[in-house]
Structures are given as structure tokens and as C-alpha cells.
Amino acid sequence: MSHNSITNESETFEIGETTVHRLGFGAMRLCGEDIIGAPDDEEAARKVVQHAVDCGVDFIDTADSYGPAVSERLIGEAIGNRDDVVVATKAGLLRNDAGDWIAHGDPDYIRNQVLTSLDRLQTDTIDLYQFHRPDDDTPFEDSIATFAELKDDGLVDEVGVSNVSAELLDRAREQVEIATVQNRYNLHDRGSREVLEICADEGIGFIPWAPIDGDDLAAYGDLLDEIAAAHDATRRQVALAWLLERADVMLPIPGTSNRDHLESNVAASRLSLSDAEVQRLTQAAE
């Protein structure tokens, strides 16, 4: 298979008024080790982003805390402000050099962060701005109201939430239209099943973070190997194909800093699992 033959063949979904392919790209791994600092080869990281777009990936997900600031900057440098690519980012989570992720949903902080994200992404408007994680020290409604205000001000096109329960999703939707939810979900971890069902019923995009997890591959290795062999595919590709079959609102964002891994992930978009294979994978963890 030549590099030129790799193209994103996943079905499409509308985020607000913009149509994207459902298989996207997660840009967290563009950063240095442990998601801290810059990668050893920044030019190689930018080329991975550019190649993702060349392969037909038109939905890229990042966050201001990745690096922090590194992933957004590299994306801005790699593709700038393209009309044919939706770039989603997040605010509300801090990253320190000890490797901690610290929730911080203070409205003033979010208003400051949107300006820094706009600058790094080299754009006037963020396509999709997501509240990264609820903060126990800040009322949830106050944080969400800030995202709604940013949308009203024209700094943000669409608003999303991340790491939320069904109850918090309902509370967020009372204040602003929610375009997407980003929660952990994969073959092995289906703790957000209820939230996914709400998204499917309401036409809200569901972005599963950690769409491929090492536990997936270990826990269901024999089954994945059997199905992969039938399709001349890999375990990872089967796990991604299952996610795409799981719900029409599912928007997987497998992340990598490696061109070959990127192409392998995109190639999963043309893998067609049978109904029986989807059912076996679905039942495996239920």
C-alpha cells in the first residue's frame, strides 16, 4: 500500500454547520515526553499534522494544556487557519512539570486562555471550544456560562464539554447548545455509555478520548486477532472500526506523532466489519 493511497473514508458528521469526517486526529502526542514540553523534532511533528490533512482528516483535537501550549502552537504553524479543517481545543485544565492535571474552570482564567489559544492556532475564531474538566472549586454553571459568552462574542463557533456525567451534560445544555462531548470511551472502558446514548439520541457528537487503549488490546487480544486476520488488518484498526460502528455520532480521535501510525489509523476508516463481528466486540465487555 503506497502512502498516496491512504485516505480518510469514514462517514461524516456535522459539528454545528461544518461537516467533518468522523475519524479525526488527536494532537496530544505531538508534545514531548509525558505531554510536557516540545518534541525533540518539531518539524517532524508539524509534518504529521500536515500529512493527516493530506490524508483527508478534517477534524483535529487538541488542548491548551498539552505541552502546555505546545500542541496548539505546532498545529497553528503546520496548517494555520484552514477553512476545510475543524480544529477543536479545550480550556479548564492545568498541566505542571510534575505531570499533574489540575482542573481550573475559573471564568477569568478561561477568558484569558481563549486569547492565548487563538494566537497559537493563528485564527480569529476557535471552531470548537471545549470545557476540559469540571472544577470542584468553581461552580459548573459559571464555567459553562463563560463558554457561552465567548460564543456570543464571536470568539468561539461551537461549545463542547469533556469528562462530564449525564447530569452535568443536562446542566450544560440548559445554558448553551452543546455540539460535542468528549469522554473516555473504548472497547475496554465503556463507563460513559449513558452519556453516549444521550448524544446519540440528541445528535451531539461524542469524541471518545483514549479510543485505543493498551487494556483493549490485552483484554480482547484473541478476539481482535481473529477479526483482524479476516480483514488483513491490525488489532488497533479493528478497535477503531468498532468505535465507528458503535454510533453515528462517534468521532474517534486516535493520536500519534508517527507518520506510519497515522496512516494505519486512517486506513481503519475503510475497514468494514460484519454485523456479527460488531456484535461480538460489543458483547465482549458487557
Side-chain angles (χ1 to χ4, degrees):
M1 183 184 299
S2 69
H3 289 324
N4 292 335
S5 68
I6 303 297
T7 186
N8 192 349
E9 299 181 18
S10 62
E11 296 180 351
T12 60
F13 181 82
E14 290 188 3
I15 297 178
E17 298 181 355
T18 306
T19 301
V20 299
H21 286 87
R22 287 175 49 210
L23 182 67
F25 173 69
M28 183 175 73
R29 295 295 174 185
L30 297 179
C31 305
E33 187 176 356
D34 295 328
I35 325 301
I36 298 172
D40 292 337
D41 189 339
E42 290 199 3
E43 181 58 23
R46 286 188 287 268
K47 286 182 177 178
V48 168
V49 177
Q50 293 163 349
H51 191 55
V53 175
D54 290 342
C55 290
V57 173
D58 49 16
F59 177 53
I60 297 175
D61 179 81
T62 185
D64 60 13
S65 55
Y66 297 163
V70 173
S71 178
E72 287 183 329
R73 175 177 59 79
L74 291 172
I75 292 168
E77 293 169 351
I79 62 173
N81 183 20
R82 293 182 57 141
D83 292 335
D84 58 344
V85 179
V86 169
V87 176
T89 192
K90 313 178 200 73
L93 198 59
L94 302 176
R95 181 69 164 163
N96 63 25
D97 58 8
D100 300 316
W101 299 96
I102 304 166
H104 191 51
D106 178 76
D108 287 335
Y109 174 76
I110 293 169
R111 291 188 189 98
N112 180 79
Q113 288 305 101
V114 73
L115 299 179
T116 62
S117 292
L118 287 165
D119 181 65
R120 288 189 290 260
L121 292 171
Q122 301 186 22
T123 185
D124 296 324
T125 307
I126 292 176
D127 299 322
L128 172 63
Y129 204 39
Q130 305 159 92
F131 183 31
H132 207 154
R133 183 183 294 173
D135 175 9
D136 290 341
D137 294 328
T138 304
F140 183 71
E141 281 75 11
D142 290 355
S143 300
I144 295 298
T146 306
F147 281 79
E149 291 166 3
L150 296 176
K151 182 177 180 180
D152 289 341
D153 291 341
L155 298 176
V156 171
D157 281 338
E158 302 295 336
V159 172
V161 290
S162 182
N163 297 300
V164 294
S165 63
E167 179 203 357
L168 288 179
L169 175 56
D170 286 342
R171 286 163 58 183
R173 295 179 68 202
E174 290 176 358
Q175 297 199 62
V176 65
E177 182 178 359
I178 298 298
T180 60
V181 174
Q182 184 167 167
N183 278 13
R184 182 181 174 90
Y185 191 90
N186 51 49
L187 185 61
H188 185 65
D189 185 346
R190 308 188 199 179
S192 288
R193 182 185 292 106
E194 182 182 5
V195 175
L196 173 59
E197 290 174 353
I198 294 171
C199 289
D201 289 342
E202 300 296 332
I204 299 169
F206 185 92
I207 307 169
W209 64 266
I212 303 173
D213 186 87
D215 290 337
D216 289 14
L217 310 185
Y220 309 107
D222 290 343
L223 176 57
L224 287 168
D225 285 343
E226 178 187 340
I227 296 174
H231 293 273
D232 190 23
T234 68
R235 288 182 177 184
R236 294 171 61 89
Q237 289 172 331
V238 172
L240 282 173
W242 173 78
L243 280 173
L244 289 168
E245 294 283 356
R246 191 75 177 95
D248 292 341
V249 299
M250 190 78 77
L251 309 172
I253 49 166
T256 182
S257 59
N258 180 281
R259 178 185 174 115
D260 290 339
H261 290 167
L262 167 68
E263 291 187 352
S264 178
N265 290 338
V266 174
S269 67
R270 63 188 184 194
L271 180 59
S272 180
L273 301 179
S274 69
D275 291 343
E277 290 168 336
V278 172
Q279 184 176 17
R280 290 179 68 191
L281 289 165
T282 300
Q283 293 176 342
E286 292 183 348

